[in-house]
């Protein structure tokens, strides 16, 4: 199993940007499809973005498409989530996840390993 540690969260004004990082250890991240999920207070965890292994195809939720970009650097065992044009509704704890499956999926059950999360707060 791979261990995941997120970083880069914080407080930002609406319209601003943040870049989240997810560092993998234990096993090489290149073996895994990687995803980002988020959970706002009182809400269920929801899918944000995913990226495949090998070809680095990407998949986004409709709510972040065009504003967020997921990428990966397998040489650094790190996955990133660049978040631009942040909105109040983006406030949540963001989780990185890794899954040993082919493709890029929004189904959390396909992900075997999860990080502890990093808080993103967007203020007006």
């Amino acid at each position: 199993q791979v261990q995941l540690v997120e970083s880069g969260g914080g407080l930002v004004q609406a319209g601003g940007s943040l870049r989240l990082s997810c560092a993998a250890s234990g096993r090489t991240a290149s073996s895994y499809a990687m995803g980002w999920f988020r959970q706002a207070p009182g809400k269920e965890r929801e899918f944000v973005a995913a990226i495949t292994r090998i070809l680095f195809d990407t998949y986004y939720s409709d709510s972040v498409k065009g504003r967020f970009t997921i990428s990966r650097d397998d040489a650094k065992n790190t996955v990133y989530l660049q978040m631009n044009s942040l909105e109040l509704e983006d406030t949540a704890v963001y989780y990185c996840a890794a899954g040993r499956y082919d493709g890029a999926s929004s189904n959390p059950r396909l992900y075997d390993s999860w990080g502890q999360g990093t808080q993103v707060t967007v203020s007006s």
Side-chain angles (χ1 to χ4, degrees), residues 40-120:
K43 295 187 177 181
E44 293 186 354
R45 190 171 298 189
E46 66 170 350
F47 169 74
V48 175
I51 186 167
T52 65
R53 56 193 185 97
I54 305 175
L55 294 181
F56 295 6
D57 292 329
T58 58
Y59 175 46
Y60 297 93
S61 69
D62 288 342
S63 61
V64 307
K65 195 176 298 181
R67 300 188 297 121
F68 290 11
T69 302
I70 187 171
S71 62
R72 62 191 297 165
D73 184 342
D74 287 347
K76 295 182 178 180
N77 266 355
T78 302
V79 177
Y80 305 97
L81 185 68
Q82 177 66 44
M83 306 186 295
N84 298 329
S85 302
L86 282 161
E87 302 170 354
L88 298 180
E89 293 73 22
D90 295 319
T91 294
V93 177
Y94 283 72
Y95 297 90
C96 176
R100 301 200 74 174
Y101 69 92
D102 289 327
S105 176
S106 61
N107 185 352
R109 296 180 181 180
L110 293 178
Y111 294 86
D112 309 301
S113 301
W114 293 80
Q116 292 301 306
T118 184
Q119 175 71 46
V120 171

Side-chain angles (χ1 to χ4, degrees), residues 8-12 16-20 81-84 86 120-121:
L11 175 64
V12 63
S17 299
L18 279 177
R19 188 176 81 155
L20 305 183
L81 185 68
Q82 177 66 44
M83 306 186 295
N84 298 329
L86 282 161
V120 171
T121 303

